Amino acid sequence: METGSQAELEQRLALAGPEDTLRGFFFTAALKVVRNECDGTVLSRCLEASGEGRFMAFFSYPLGPLLRLLYAAAWALSEKHGGFEAAMRHLGRQVVPDYLESSAGRLFTMLPVGAPKLLLDNLSPAYRTAVLHGTCSVTWIGPNHCLLVLRGTALPLPYIEGAVLGLFELLKMKTVKVVERQECPRELRLSLSW
């Protein structure tokens, strides 16, 4: 299936059940990107795709509308950012500032600068406060290498990669190398090393 296609979106929507929810700041961050980088027509299309007009940062919303919003935004931003996957990574990066402004996210800003292990050890509980479905685990392979595994979500892998990279960048952590792999539609693996 072609990455970024309507068929891929439909497959992800079919995997997203009504119990798959996440916080509103995922929506507000994507809409902020669209407002800043696109015209009003694209914004209207994205709002229509999301099915909502307003989102509250820490309220819970279903994953399906976010997927429709992310795909509509990534399609609109593809040319500017060098393709669909790059646009999706950009959208993932942009959710990080909104998350760090939340009460749960502020805890990350208190971590010592340049402490990637500490950041990653706290990623699983942080994930549970933001994404209210699936699981996130970190397995250490070496002192500067770990495997981040997300199970039970239909979020696109480039979006997750962008969010992880964005978190490291904003917190001024060491440069991280990411090797991504998708085992099955609802399991994402990122090998992180620095």
Side-chain angles (χ1 to χ4, degrees), residues 84-103:
F84 178 84
E85 287 188 29
M88 194 61 82
R89 270 186 215 91
H90 177 65
L91 289 163
R93 273 186 165 95
Q94 301 311 307
V95 76
V96 175
D98 287 24
Y99 175 69
L100 292 178
E101 288 176 10
S102 72
S103 56

Side-chain angles (χ1 to χ4, degrees), residues 168-183:
F168 274 86
E169 288 164 5
L170 277 176
L171 295 177
K172 297 177 181 24
M173 300 289 179
K174 292 180 180 178
T175 303
V176 175
K177 179 183 176 194
V178 177
V179 177
E180 57 187 51
R181 198 170 69 223
Q182 184 146 14
E183 298 290 316

Side-chain angles (χ1 to χ4, degrees), residues 27-185:
F27 293 85
T28 58
L31 290 169
K32 190 184 303 179
V33 172
V34 172
R35 274 188 195 93
N36 291 338
E37 298 185 30
C38 301
D39 62 27
T41 305
V42 173
L43 178 60
S44 295
R45 207 173 335 151
C46 289
L47 283 167
E48 184 179 330
S50 74
E52 296 269 344
R54 295 182 58 114
F55 296 94
M56 302 298 289
F58 245 72
F59 281 35
S60 298
Y61 298 92
L63 176 58
L66 178 67
L67 290 170
R68 284 191 284 280
L69 168 59
L70 290 175
Y71 272 72
W75 289 329
L77 295 164
S78 287
E79 188 174 326
K80 179 178 181 179
H81 290 280
F84 178 84
E85 287 188 29
M88 194 61 82
R89 270 186 215 91
H90 177 65
L91 289 163
R93 273 186 165 95
Q94 301 311 307
V95 76
V96 175
D98 287 24
Y99 175 69
L100 292 178
E101 288 176 10
S102 72
S103 56
R106 273 188 232 119
L107 296 174
F108 276 110
T109 62
M110 292 186 242
L111 294 175
V113 172
K117 187 169 184 343
L118 191 56
L119 170 82
L120 288 160
D121 284 341
N122 285 286
L123 203 54
S124 186
Y127 179 88
R128 283 193 300 273
T129 65
V131 180
L132 308 172
H133 65 277
T135 62
C136 171
S137 63
V138 174
T139 303
W140 288 98
I141 297 166
N144 296 326
H145 187 197
C146 72
L147 184 63
L148 174 65
V149 179
L150 277 67
R151 290 186 177 95
T153 187
L155 283 166
L157 183 55
Y159 182 78
I160 297 294
E161 180 188 1
V164 170
L165 289 171
L167 187 58
F168 274 86
E169 288 164 5
L170 277 176
L171 295 177
K172 297 177 181 24
M173 300 289 179
K174 292 180 180 178
T175 303
V176 175
K177 179 183 176 194
V178 177
V179 177
E180 57 187 51
R181 198 170 69 223
Q182 184 146 14
E183 298 290 316
C184 64

